[in-house]
Amino acid sequence: MVSEKKEPGVWEGFKAFLMRGNVVDLAVAVVIGAAFTNIVNSVVKGVINPLVGAFGTKDLDHYSSCLKAPCKTNDAGEVVSGIPIMWGPVLSAVLSFVITAAVVYFLMVLPMAKYLARAAAKKAEKEGTQEVIEISELEVLKEIRDALVAQRGSGSGSGPREE
C-alpha cells in the first residue's frame, strides 16, 4: 500500500499566507500611506495650487491647452467644442508625488539608513573586540600550557605535544 502525502488545501495555504508577519506589515503600510496621501493632497490643493494661481490666473486644476481649437466650455464646465488637454491636474499629481517622495525619503528612509549604518558599525566594533579578546585568551592559554610543560621538564616526554 502506497502512502499518499496529503497536499495542503487552499484554505490552509491562505491561512499560512495571512499569518506571515510581512502581510500584516504591508497592510499597515498601505493604510498609513493612504492617510499620508490625503495629507499631501490637501497641502498641494490648499497651499501649492493657490501659490501657483498667484503667479498665473487660476489654480493648477484649471490649466489646460486646446488640441483642436476653439475650446469652449459651458457654465457647468463641460467641453462644448474643441479638444482640451487638461495638463493642470497632471502637474498637480506630479507635485503630490514629488512631495510625498521627498517627505518619505527625508523623514523615513534617510534616518533609518543612518540608524542601520550606526548599528552595523557598533556590531562590527563589538565583533572586532570579541575577536581580540578570544585571541588574547588563546595566547594566555598557550603560555600556561608552555609553562606547565616547562615545569614538568621536557625530558620525560609525557607532556603535551605542540601541534
Side-chain angles (χ1 to χ4, degrees):
M1 189 162 185
V2 178
S3 91
E4 293 181 26
K5 186 176 181 182
K6 186 178 179 184
E7 292 289 323
V10 174
W11 183 248
E12 287 83 18
F14 182 67
K15 285 194 310 189
F17 171 74
L18 287 180
M19 298 313 272
R20 289 188 203 163
N22 55 359
V23 173
V24 174
D25 292 341
L26 182 61
V28 169
V30 167
V31 170
I32 290 175
F36 186 70
T37 300
N38 288 335
I39 293 170
V40 170
N41 287 338
S42 296
V43 168
V44 169
K45 289 190 184 295
V47 176
I48 294 180
N49 282 354
L51 288 175
V52 170
F55 297 109
T57 57
K58 50 194 162 194
D59 69 17
L60 283 178
D61 289 336
H62 297 291
Y63 280 98
S64 65
S65 297
C66 194
L67 185 61
K68 185 175 180 185
C71 285
K72 294 182 182 174
T73 58
N74 59 15
D75 293 337
E78 299 169 346
V79 176
V80 177
S81 67
I83 302 173
I85 302 292
M86 304 298 290
W87 56 270
V90 175
L91 183 59
S92 179
V94 168
L95 285 173
S96 295
F97 172 77
V98 169
I99 291 169
T100 303
V103 168
V104 167
Y105 180 75
F106 289 112
L107 294 182
M108 295 177 192
V109 173
L110 194 60
M112 184 57 91
K114 287 182 179 181
Y115 169 76
L116 292 175
R118 278 185 288 187
K122 284 182 182 178
K123 183 178 180 185
E125 181 181 313
K126 189 182 266 187
E127 286 176 357
T129 304
Q130 184 67 26
E131 199 171 295
V132 169
I133 291 171
E134 288 174 4
I135 290 172
S136 63
E137 287 177 358
L138 184 61
E139 292 298 322
V140 169
L141 290 172
K142 284 181 181 179
E143 288 176 14
I144 293 171
R145 179 199 62 196
D146 293 343
L148 289 172
V149 168
Q151 272 183 350
R152 287 187 182 168
S154 59
S156 67
S158 62
R161 289 184 263 154
E162 184 75 28
E163 293 181 33

